[in-house]
Short mmCIF file of all heavy atoms in Angstrom, two decimals:
data_model
loop_
_atom_site.label_atom_id
_atom_site.label_comp_id
_atom_site.label_asym_id
_atom_site.label_seq_id
_atom_site.Cartn_x
_atom_site.Cartn_y
_atom_site.Cartn_z
N SER A 22 -1.07 -13.62 -4.78
CA SER A 22 -2.49 -13.47 -4.41
C SER A 22 -2.70 -13.59 -2.91
O SER A 22 -3.52 -12.87 -2.33
CB SER A 22 -3.34 -14.51 -5.13
OG SER A 22 -3.42 -14.22 -6.50
N ASP A 23 -1.96 -14.50 -2.27
CA ASP A 23 -2.07 -14.64 -0.81
C ASP A 23 -1.70 -13.34 -0.11
O ASP A 23 -2.39 -12.89 0.80
CB ASP A 23 -1.15 -15.75 -0.29
CG ASP A 23 -1.57 -17.13 -0.75
OD1 ASP A 23 -2.76 -17.35 -1.02
OD2 ASP A 23 -0.67 -18.01 -0.83
N PHE A 24 -0.59 -12.73 -0.55
CA PHE A 24 -0.16 -11.47 0.06
C PHE A 24 -1.12 -10.33 -0.27
O PHE A 24 -1.43 -9.51 0.59
CB PHE A 24 1.27 -11.13 -0.35
CG PHE A 24 2.27 -12.01 0.32
CD1 PHE A 24 2.86 -13.05 -0.37
CD2 PHE A 24 2.62 -11.81 1.65
CE1 PHE A 24 3.77 -13.89 0.25
CE2 PHE A 24 3.52 -12.65 2.28
CZ PHE A 24 4.10 -13.69 1.58
N GLN A 25 -1.62 -10.30 -1.49
CA GLN A 25 -2.56 -9.25 -1.86
C GLN A 25 -3.83 -9.36 -1.03
O GLN A 25 -4.34 -8.36 -0.53
CB GLN A 25 -2.88 -9.30 -3.36
CG GLN A 25 -3.73 -8.12 -3.80
CD GLN A 25 -3.87 -8.01 -5.30
OE1 GLN A 25 -3.25 -8.76 -6.07
NE2 GLN A 25 -4.67 -7.06 -5.74
N ARG A 26 -4.32 -10.56 -0.85
CA ARG A 26 -5.52 -10.78 -0.03
C ARG A 26 -5.28 -10.37 1.42
O ARG A 26 -6.10 -9.70 2.04
CB ARG A 26 -5.91 -12.26 -0.13
CG ARG A 26 -7.27 -12.60 0.31
CD ARG A 26 -7.70 -14.04 -0.03
NE ARG A 26 -6.65 -15.02 -0.26
CZ ARG A 26 -6.20 -15.41 -1.45
NH1 ARG A 26 -6.69 -14.89 -2.56
NH2 ARG A 26 -5.25 -16.32 -1.57
N ARG A 27 -4.12 -10.75 1.96
CA ARG A 27 -3.81 -10.39 3.36
C ARG A 27 -3.71 -8.88 3.52
O ARG A 27 -4.23 -8.32 4.49
CB ARG A 27 -2.50 -11.07 3.78
CG ARG A 27 -2.04 -10.74 5.20
CD ARG A 27 -3.09 -11.06 6.28
NE ARG A 27 -3.43 -12.45 6.31
CZ ARG A 27 -2.99 -13.31 7.22
NH1 ARG A 27 -2.21 -12.92 8.18
NH2 ARG A 27 -3.35 -14.57 7.15
N LEU A 28 -3.05 -8.21 2.60
CA LEU A 28 -2.95 -6.76 2.69
C LEU A 28 -4.32 -6.10 2.59
O LEU A 28 -4.57 -5.09 3.24
CB LEU A 28 -2.00 -6.22 1.62
CG LEU A 28 -0.52 -6.52 1.88
CD1 LEU A 28 0.31 -6.19 0.66
CD2 LEU A 28 -0.02 -5.77 3.10
N SER A 29 -5.20 -6.69 1.79
CA SER A 29 -6.56 -6.18 1.70
C SER A 29 -7.26 -6.30 3.05
O SER A 29 -7.93 -5.37 3.49
CB SER A 29 -7.33 -6.94 0.62
OG SER A 29 -8.66 -6.47 0.54
N GLU A 30 -7.10 -7.45 3.70
CA GLU A 30 -7.72 -7.66 5.02
C GLU A 30 -7.20 -6.65 6.03
O GLU A 30 -7.97 -6.13 6.85
CB GLU A 30 -7.42 -9.07 5.53
CG GLU A 30 -8.04 -10.17 4.74
CD GLU A 30 -7.49 -11.55 5.09
OE1 GLU A 30 -6.65 -11.67 6.00
OE2 GLU A 30 -7.90 -12.51 4.42
N ILE A 31 -5.92 -6.37 5.98
CA ILE A 31 -5.29 -5.50 6.98
C ILE A 31 -5.53 -4.02 6.68
O ILE A 31 -5.84 -3.24 7.58
CB ILE A 31 -3.78 -5.77 7.06
CG1 ILE A 31 -3.51 -7.21 7.51
CG2 ILE A 31 -3.09 -4.79 8.00
CD1 ILE A 31 -2.05 -7.64 7.39
N TYR A 32 -5.38 -3.62 5.40
CA TYR A 32 -5.27 -2.19 5.08
C TYR A 32 -6.33 -1.62 4.13
O TYR A 32 -6.34 -0.40 3.93
CB TYR A 32 -3.90 -1.91 4.45
CG TYR A 32 -2.73 -2.20 5.34
CD1 TYR A 32 -1.84 -3.21 5.02
CD2 TYR A 32 -2.51 -1.47 6.49
CE1 TYR A 32 -0.75 -3.49 5.83
CE2 TYR A 32 -1.43 -1.73 7.32
CZ TYR A 32 -0.55 -2.75 6.98
OH TYR A 32 0.52 -3.02 7.78
N LEU A 33 -7.18 -2.43 3.53
CA LEU A 33 -8.05 -1.90 2.48
C LEU A 33 -8.92 -0.73 2.96
O LEU A 33 -9.07 0.26 2.23
CB LEU A 33 -8.94 -2.99 1.88
CG LEU A 33 -9.82 -2.54 0.71
CD1 LEU A 33 -8.96 -2.00 -0.43
CD2 LEU A 33 -10.71 -3.66 0.24
N GLU A 34 -9.43 -0.82 4.16
CA GLU A 34 -10.27 0.29 4.65
C GLU A 34 -9.48 1.59 4.71
O GLU A 34 -9.92 2.63 4.20
CB GLU A 34 -10.85 -0.06 6.02
CG GLU A 34 -11.83 0.98 6.52
CD GLU A 34 -12.50 0.58 7.82
OE1 GLU A 34 -12.68 -0.62 8.08
OE2 GLU A 34 -12.83 1.51 8.59
N LYS A 35 -8.29 1.56 5.31
CA LYS A 35 -7.45 2.76 5.38
C LYS A 35 -7.02 3.23 4.00
O LYS A 35 -7.03 4.43 3.71
CB LYS A 35 -6.20 2.49 6.23
CG LYS A 35 -6.42 2.46 7.70
CD LYS A 35 -5.08 2.26 8.40
CE LYS A 35 -5.25 2.29 9.89
NZ LYS A 35 -3.97 2.17 10.60
N ASP A 36 -6.60 2.27 3.17
CA ASP A 36 -6.16 2.63 1.82
C ASP A 36 -7.29 3.26 1.03
O ASP A 36 -7.08 4.24 0.31
CB ASP A 36 -5.61 1.41 1.09
CG ASP A 36 -4.30 0.88 1.68
OD1 ASP A 36 -3.61 1.65 2.37
OD2 ASP A 36 -3.99 -0.30 1.43
N SER A 37 -8.49 2.72 1.15
CA SER A 37 -9.64 3.26 0.43
C SER A 37 -9.97 4.67 0.90
O SER A 37 -10.31 5.53 0.08
CB SER A 37 -10.86 2.35 0.60
OG SER A 37 -10.62 1.10 0.00
N GLU A 38 -9.86 4.91 2.20
CA GLU A 38 -10.10 6.25 2.72
C GLU A 38 -9.07 7.24 2.21
O GLU A 38 -9.39 8.38 1.90
CB GLU A 38 -10.09 6.24 4.26
CG GLU A 38 -11.30 5.57 4.86
CD GLU A 38 -11.21 5.43 6.37
OE1 GLU A 38 -10.31 6.03 7.00
OE2 GLU A 38 -12.06 4.71 6.93
N ARG A 39 -7.82 6.79 2.10
CA ARG A 39 -6.74 7.63 1.58
C ARG A 39 -6.95 7.89 0.09
O ARG A 39 -6.58 8.92 -0.44
CB ARG A 39 -5.40 6.93 1.81
CG ARG A 39 -4.20 7.73 1.41
CD ARG A 39 -2.88 6.98 1.59
NE ARG A 39 -2.75 6.36 2.89
CZ ARG A 39 -2.87 5.05 3.14
NH1 ARG A 39 -3.12 4.22 2.16
NH2 ARG A 39 -2.73 4.58 4.35
N GLY A 40 -7.52 6.90 -0.60
CA GLY A 40 -7.80 7.02 -2.02
C GLY A 40 -6.66 6.51 -2.89
O GLY A 40 -5.54 6.29 -2.41
N LEU A 41 -6.97 6.35 -4.14
CA LEU A 41 -6.00 5.82 -5.09
C LEU A 41 -4.78 6.73 -5.23
O LEU A 41 -3.64 6.27 -5.17
CB LEU A 41 -6.66 5.60 -6.46
CG LEU A 41 -5.84 4.89 -7.52
CD1 LEU A 41 -5.39 3.51 -7.04
CD2 LEU A 41 -6.64 4.76 -8.80
N ASP A 42 -5.01 8.03 -5.38
CA ASP A 42 -3.88 8.96 -5.55
C ASP A 42 -2.98 8.98 -4.32
O ASP A 42 -1.76 8.92 -4.45
CB ASP A 42 -4.38 10.38 -5.84
CG ASP A 42 -4.99 10.52 -7.23
OD1 ASP A 42 -4.75 9.64 -8.07
OD2 ASP A 42 -5.71 11.51 -7.44
N GLY A 43 -3.56 9.06 -3.14
CA GLY A 43 -2.76 9.10 -1.92
C GLY A 43 -1.98 7.81 -1.70
O GLY A 43 -0.82 7.83 -1.31
N THR A 44 -2.63 6.69 -1.96
CA THR A 44 -1.97 5.40 -1.78
C THR A 44 -0.87 5.24 -2.82
O THR A 44 0.23 4.75 -2.52
CB THR A 44 -2.99 4.26 -1.85
OG1 THR A 44 -3.99 4.50 -0.84
CG2 THR A 44 -2.35 2.91 -1.60
N PHE A 45 -1.11 5.69 -4.04
CA PHE A 45 -0.09 5.63 -5.08
C PHE A 45 1.13 6.48 -4.69
O PHE A 45 2.27 6.09 -4.95
CB PHE A 45 -0.66 6.10 -6.43
CG PHE A 45 0.34 6.00 -7.54
CD1 PHE A 45 0.61 4.77 -8.13
CD2 PHE A 45 1.02 7.12 -7.98
CE1 PHE A 45 1.55 4.67 -9.15
CE2 PHE A 45 1.95 7.03 -8.99
CZ PHE A 45 2.22 5.80 -9.58
N MET A 46 0.90 7.61 -4.05
CA MET A 46 2.01 8.46 -3.64
C MET A 46 2.87 7.76 -2.59
O MET A 46 4.10 7.93 -2.58
CB MET A 46 1.51 9.81 -3.11
CG MET A 46 0.92 10.69 -4.21
SD MET A 46 1.99 10.88 -5.68
CE MET A 46 3.38 11.72 -4.98
N TYR A 47 2.27 6.95 -1.73
CA TYR A 47 3.06 6.15 -0.79
C TYR A 47 3.93 5.15 -1.56
O TYR A 47 5.09 4.92 -1.20
CB TYR A 47 2.18 5.42 0.21
CG TYR A 47 1.84 6.25 1.42
CD1 TYR A 47 0.64 6.94 1.50
CD2 TYR A 47 2.72 6.34 2.48
CE1 TYR A 47 0.33 7.71 2.61
CE2 TYR A 47 2.43 7.11 3.60
CZ TYR A 47 1.23 7.79 3.65
OH TYR A 47 0.93 8.56 4.76
N LEU A 48 3.38 4.54 -2.61
CA LEU A 48 4.16 3.62 -3.44
C LEU A 48 5.35 4.34 -4.04
O LEU A 48 6.49 3.85 -3.99
CB LEU A 48 3.29 3.02 -4.54
CG LEU A 48 4.02 2.25 -5.64
CD1 LEU A 48 4.77 1.05 -5.08
CD2 LEU A 48 3.03 1.82 -6.73
N VAL A 49 5.13 5.51 -4.59
CA VAL A 49 6.21 6.29 -5.21
C VAL A 49 7.29 6.61 -4.18
O VAL A 49 8.49 6.48 -4.45
CB VAL A 49 5.65 7.57 -5.86
CG1 VAL A 49 6.77 8.50 -6.30
CG2 VAL A 49 4.74 7.21 -7.03
N SER A 50 6.87 6.98 -2.98
CA SER A 50 7.81 7.27 -1.91
C SER A 50 8.65 6.05 -1.57
O SER A 50 9.88 6.15 -1.38
CB SER A 50 7.04 7.75 -0.67
OG SER A 50 7.90 7.90 0.43
N GLU A 51 8.02 4.89 -1.51
CA GLU A 51 8.75 3.66 -1.20
C GLU A 51 9.71 3.28 -2.32
O GLU A 51 10.80 2.75 -2.05
CB GLU A 51 7.78 2.51 -0.91
CG GLU A 51 7.03 2.68 0.39
CD GLU A 51 7.91 2.73 1.63
OE1 GLU A 51 9.04 2.20 1.59
OE2 GLU A 51 7.48 3.29 2.64
N VAL A 52 9.34 3.54 -3.57
CA VAL A 52 10.27 3.29 -4.68
C VAL A 52 11.51 4.17 -4.52
O VAL A 52 12.63 3.73 -4.74
CB VAL A 52 9.59 3.50 -6.05
CG1 VAL A 52 10.61 3.48 -7.19
CG2 VAL A 52 8.52 2.44 -6.28
N GLY A 53 11.30 5.41 -4.09
CA GLY A 53 12.43 6.30 -3.83
C GLY A 53 13.32 5.77 -2.72
O GLY A 53 14.55 5.83 -2.81
N GLU A 54 12.72 5.24 -1.66
CA GLU A 54 13.50 4.66 -0.57
C GLU A 54 14.27 3.44 -1.03
O GLU A 54 15.43 3.22 -0.63
CB GLU A 54 12.61 4.32 0.62
CG GLU A 54 12.09 5.54 1.34
CD GLU A 54 11.20 5.20 2.52
OE1 GLU A 54 11.30 4.07 3.05
OE2 GLU A 54 10.41 6.08 2.92
N LEU A 55 13.67 2.63 -1.91
CA LEU A 55 14.37 1.47 -2.46
C LEU A 55 15.55 1.93 -3.31
O LEU A 55 16.65 1.36 -3.22
CB LEU A 55 13.42 0.60 -3.28
CG LEU A 55 14.05 -0.58 -4.01
CD1 LEU A 55 14.76 -1.53 -3.05
CD2 LEU A 55 12.99 -1.31 -4.82
N ALA A 56 15.34 2.95 -4.12
CA ALA A 56 16.43 3.47 -4.96
C ALA A 56 17.59 3.93 -4.09
O ALA A 56 18.76 3.64 -4.38
CB ALA A 56 15.91 4.62 -5.84
N GLU A 57 17.28 4.62 -3.03
CA GLU A 57 18.32 5.09 -2.10
C GLU A 57 19.05 3.89 -1.47
O GLU A 57 20.28 3.89 -1.37
CB GLU A 57 17.69 5.96 -1.02
CG GLU A 57 18.68 6.56 -0.06
CD GLU A 57 18.02 7.45 0.96
OE1 GLU A 57 17.09 8.21 0.58
OE2 GLU A 57 18.42 7.40 2.13
N ALA A 58 18.30 2.90 -1.05
CA ALA A 58 18.91 1.71 -0.43
C ALA A 58 19.82 0.98 -1.42
O ALA A 58 20.88 0.48 -1.04
CB ALA A 58 17.82 0.78 0.09
#
């Protein structure tokens, strides 16, 4: 919860502008990078 709250403070405005679909696509991309790593 601490990290979720902090990320909200830092990024919620940008993430909201990008929207749920766009932000989810960044998550998918990062999962791919983790798989590669």
Side-chain angles (χ1 to χ4, degrees):
S22 290
D23 293 334
F24 287 102
Q25 186 170 355
R26 196 170 22 262
R27 178 56 61 103
L28 288 169
S29 179
E30 294 168 4
I31 298 170
Y32 298 114
L33 184 59
E34 186 175 330
K35 284 183 177 183
D36 292 339
S37 295
E38 288 174 11
R39 184 183 311 105
L41 187 57
D42 289 343
T44 303
F45 183 79
M46 291 309 296
Y47 273 97
L48 169 61
V49 171
S50 173
E51 290 299 336
V52 170
E54 289 180 22
L55 175 59
E57 183 178 320

